Amino acid sequence: VGLDPQSVYILKKFIQKEKERGKTIIMTSHIIQDVDELSDVLNILIEGKVVYSGNKAELLTVSNSTNLEEAVINIYTKRLKC
């Protein structure tokens, strides 16, 4: 289920404010742009198992990628042997 643009804006501002206050936010999403914008630590799951846990810079390095979308695709294709 998606959110309307105003709700997305409000939610992003809320998450950013809570991060600034030192709070941990656990979020799940398939929207890579939101993950890239809001996340400090990423966990990638395939078939219920964590196949990557770390920060974005490390993910770009281990997946030999230039952006987060490409990194996620590379992790999936390598893991799934596509």
Side-chain angles (χ1 to χ4, degrees), residues 22-80:
K23 302 288 183 170
T24 298
I25 307 291
I26 297 173
M27 162 181 134
T28 64
S29 182
H30 290 99
I31 304 171
I32 301 299
Q33 295 80 5
D34 290 345
V35 172
D36 193 17
E37 179 182 344
L38 298 169
S39 300
D40 298 318
V41 176
L42 306 169
N43 288 287
I44 297 176
L45 287 79
I46 298 177
E47 297 177 353
K49 297 193 183 336
V50 176
V51 297
Y52 176 80
S53 182
N55 68 42
K56 290 181 275 190
E58 292 167 348
L59 177 58
L60 295 177
T61 299
V62 301
S63 65
N64 194 30
S65 305
T66 58
N67 62 65
L68 192 57
E69 182 176 46
E70 180 182 51
V72 171
I73 296 301
N74 286 343
I75 293 290
Y76 272 84
T77 55
K78 287 177 184 175
R79 176 74 174 161
L80 297 175

